[in-house]
Amino acid sequence: MSISPALDTAGASPRAHRASPEPPASRPAGRTGRAAVGLAPAGLALALGLWGIRRENSMWRDESTTYQVAHRGVADIWHLLGQADVVHGLYYLLMHGVFALWDGGLVALRLPSVLAMAAAAAGVGLLGQRLAGTRAGLAAGLVFPLFPVVQRYAQEGRSYALVCAVVVWATHLLLSAVARPRKRTWTGYAVVAALACLLHEFAILAVAAHGVALYRARVPAALGWAWGQAAAAAGFVLAPLVIVSQQQVALVGWISPPGTSQLLGFGVPALAGVLCARAPGPARGPIALGDLALPLLILPPAVLIAVSYLHPLYVDRYVIYVYVGLALLVGARLERLLRTSPAPRTAAAALAVVAAAALLPYSAQLRTPQSRIDDTMAAARAVRELSRPGDGVLFMPARRREPIMSSPGDFRGLEELALAERPVPSGTLHGIELPAPRIRIRMLTARRIVTVNDSPGQPLDDTPQENVKRGVLKKYFQRCAVRDVTGMRIVLYGRPGSC
């Protein structure tokens, strides 16, 4: 059976034909070595993810949202998505299934992210093997789970680790489709890329980075056209999500234009990646490692940062898959350095010790409640300790209702003075509050009120409801007790003589 000329031309590139022989240090290992390239990084990522997974029984506000939304019924989740958080809709449905199978609290909330990041680490190792050899792949795979940002989101009850894993395996399908073009492989790539985009819409920037990689590799036009069709299919699937999410854009109104810290957070890894790519190794296929890794590292955050000066959207966790590109570049560079070392095993051991010593303090801090901006569980415990049955409770502002939604038992016996309609029947994240005059009337019937507030120094919401809460407390109540927890302040107020 003959292969058609068009298919043969599409399956290779001039660069692939000119690829240099692989140096002895990078020659493929046996079956055990190839398995280790995926298993060792996955094992390291899994160990780091399980270490302190409960984070001292703490939960921050975004995880609290995941927890309470995932515990709603499917129809209730669907109702919510029409009004808020549609960008996380597929993830909420997935977590609903997780909790339906096993309602394991904080462990069940975070375990999918741990497993996803382990799958991503395995995929990074295997990507490095395909692009630069076994040792480079092993180094990349082991570097990836050590990045602090990867460790952080491996233990987050949010979608970002899953997006990262799906992007990694979409990249594998891209390499397979370029190396051996077949309709089913390109279809698989389109399906997996679309899945990544449905988990978070900014994964489309990884698909764009794949296109830049093909351009840099100078692949034949037939392959570029095939990628374009797959990318268009993923974009078509994503389009309804983008349309609805644009109607909910007020939910990301808290994002500010990029500042110095955001620019450094992008620039330092990008510069490190460029420096690592300056001494490229021999290409092992149609796409060289640098051609793939640099666009994946640089393009997504660069695009978001540029857009954010007009419409702020850049948050580093939205594109954490860029660290896949950095890990590939660092891994390949480490392999080349160790290969030229007179004692490579000693040098590798020394590097491991230095990395562990440098990362251990920050890694330990990541597994404490103070590593996140707030702790809804600690706030709920403080409310329980300061209040007694019959007291009123207020959330100031109303969006600070996360503690009661993630730990309702700690609020048992308290009366919500401002709530008109609860989150589930209203199809909202935090419920709907009464008009300001009604809130005032209900507050004046209470003898004691416990309030859940932002931490001091945060801007105050200038709404009629929030203004009346502050006004009544100041005029008719006195402060009885204050309890500060991570990111929140709990205050008990009482009528004179009621503290």
Side-chain angles (χ1 to χ4, degrees):
M1 181 176 67
S2 62
I3 300 176
S4 70
L7 184 57
D8 187 55
T9 301
S13 72
R15 184 173 301 195
H17 290 303
R18 295 195 302 266
S20 305
E22 206 177 343
S26 296
R27 290 192 187 279
R31 183 176 300 175
T32 301
R34 289 194 296 270
V37 172
L39 293 177
L44 177 60
L46 188 63
L48 290 172
L50 293 176
W51 169 30
I53 189 173
R54 296 184 64 86
R55 215 160 57 234
E56 300 178 26
N57 291 320
S58 64
M59 180 193 298
W60 79 289
R61 64 181 67 163
D62 279 13
E63 291 183 303
S64 174
T65 299
T66 297
Y67 187 81
Q68 59 93 6
V69 172
H71 278 83
R72 301 185 187 189
V74 172
D76 294 323
I77 295 175
W78 192 255
H79 184 201
L80 167 71
L81 299 181
Q83 303 183 63
D85 259 12
V86 69
V87 70
H88 298 297
L90 180 59
Y91 175 68
Y92 289 151
L93 291 170
L94 171 65
M95 291 306 298
H96 173 81
V98 170
F99 285 118
L101 292 172
W102 175 51
D103 199 348
L106 291 172
V107 177
L109 175 68
R110 295 174 184 144
L111 188 58
S113 293
V114 174
L115 297 176
M117 210 60 95
V124 170
L126 294 172
L127 277 175
Q129 182 187 50
R130 295 180 72 164
L131 294 166
T134 299
R135 293 185 182 179
L138 182 60
L142 292 175
V143 163
F144 176 73
L146 295 178
F147 290 137
V149 68
V150 172
Q151 292 190 51
R152 179 188 181 99
Y153 292 106
Q155 290 189 335
E156 288 274 300
R158 298 297 276 174
S159 64
Y160 311 114
L162 278 74
V163 175
C164 186
V166 178
V167 166
V168 168
W169 290 99
T171 307
H172 273 283
L173 286 168
L174 176 73
L175 293 180
S176 297
V178 170
R180 190 179 177 188
R182 288 181 293 183
K183 183 176 181 180
R184 66 182 183 184
T185 311
W186 281 113
T187 300
Y189 169 73
V191 169
V192 176
L195 175 62
C197 295
L198 290 176
L199 282 167
H200 197 283
E201 60 189 358
F202 290 157
I204 195 66
L205 296 173
V207 180
H210 289 161
V212 174
L214 297 182
Y215 175 79
R216 284 169 54 88
R218 300 192 183 106
V219 301
L223 291 178
W225 174 245
W227 168 83
Q229 290 177 302
F236 180 78
V237 172
L238 177 62
L241 178 65
V242 173
I243 292 170
V244 178
S245 68
Q246 286 302 303
Q247 298 169 3
Q248 301 174 1
V249 72
L251 293 172
V252 293
W254 55 271
I255 301 178
S256 302
T260 302
S261 61
Q262 287 82 8
L263 293 177
L264 286 174
F266 161 65
V268 171
L271 179 60
V274 170
L275 292 175
C276 288
R278 290 186 66 184
R284 291 171 54 90
I287 303 179
L289 183 143
D291 289 340
L292 175 68
L294 278 175
L296 194 59
L297 170 62
I298 295 174
L299 184 141
V303 169
L304 274 187
I305 286 173
V307 170
S308 291
Y309 285 108
L310 298 175
H311 181 70
L313 289 173
Y314 177 69
V315 181
D316 62 351
R317 62 179 177 264
Y318 293 167
V319 289
I320 62 167
Y321 54 78
V322 303
Y323 286 89
V324 173
L326 182 59
L328 290 171
L329 292 162
V330 171
R333 185 65 174 172
L334 285 175
E335 190 275 333
R336 291 193 293 273
L337 291 174
L338 293 174
R339 188 199 316 153
T340 58
S341 170
R345 292 187 179 180
T346 302
L351 278 174
V353 170
V354 170
L359 292 171
L360 186 59
Y362 186 69
S363 296
Q365 194 271 340
L366 278 176
R367 289 153 177 86
T368 66
Q370 292 72 32
S371 64
R372 271 56 173 186
I373 62 174
D374 60 16
D375 182 359
T376 64
M377 305 293 280
R381 290 191 293 269
V383 168
R384 183 190 64 208
E385 292 164 4
L386 290 179
S387 65
R388 62 192 184 203
D391 289 347
V393 62
L394 290 172
F395 299 92
M396 302 171 59
R399 60 179 179 276
R400 286 292 80 84
R401 295 191 77 253
E402 292 93 352
I404 194 172
M405 294 187 293
S406 55
S407 187
D410 288 323
F411 290 78
R412 189 173 293 115
L414 304 184
E415 181 184 2
E416 286 202 64
L417 299 175
L419 188 66
E421 192 171 359
R422 297 189 178 278
V424 174
S426 65
T428 61
L429 289 173
H430 303 111
I432 298 173
E433 290 203 331
L434 294 164
R438 292 284 307 281
I439 294 175
R440 184 179 188 277
I441 292 171
R442 297 190 68 178
M443 288 179 68
L444 292 176
T445 65
R447 298 294 297 171
R448 297 183 357 142
I449 299 174
V450 61
T451 65
V452 179
N453 311 267
D454 281 328
S455 56
Q458 297 298 310
L460 300 176
D461 284 24
D462 186 19
T463 66
Q465 286 91 338
E466 300 305 325
N467 288 333
V468 80
K469 292 174 192 176
R470 293 192 293 267
V472 171
L473 290 173
K474 182 178 181 180
K475 184 174 182 180
Y476 296 101
F477 290 80
Q478 63 186 37
R479 185 175 291 190
C480 301
V482 177
R483 185 74 54 83
D484 285 322
V485 299
T486 303
M488 295 190 199
R489 169 169 282 184
I490 314 304
V491 182
L492 174 65
Y493 291 90
R495 294 295 188 100
S498 298
C499 283

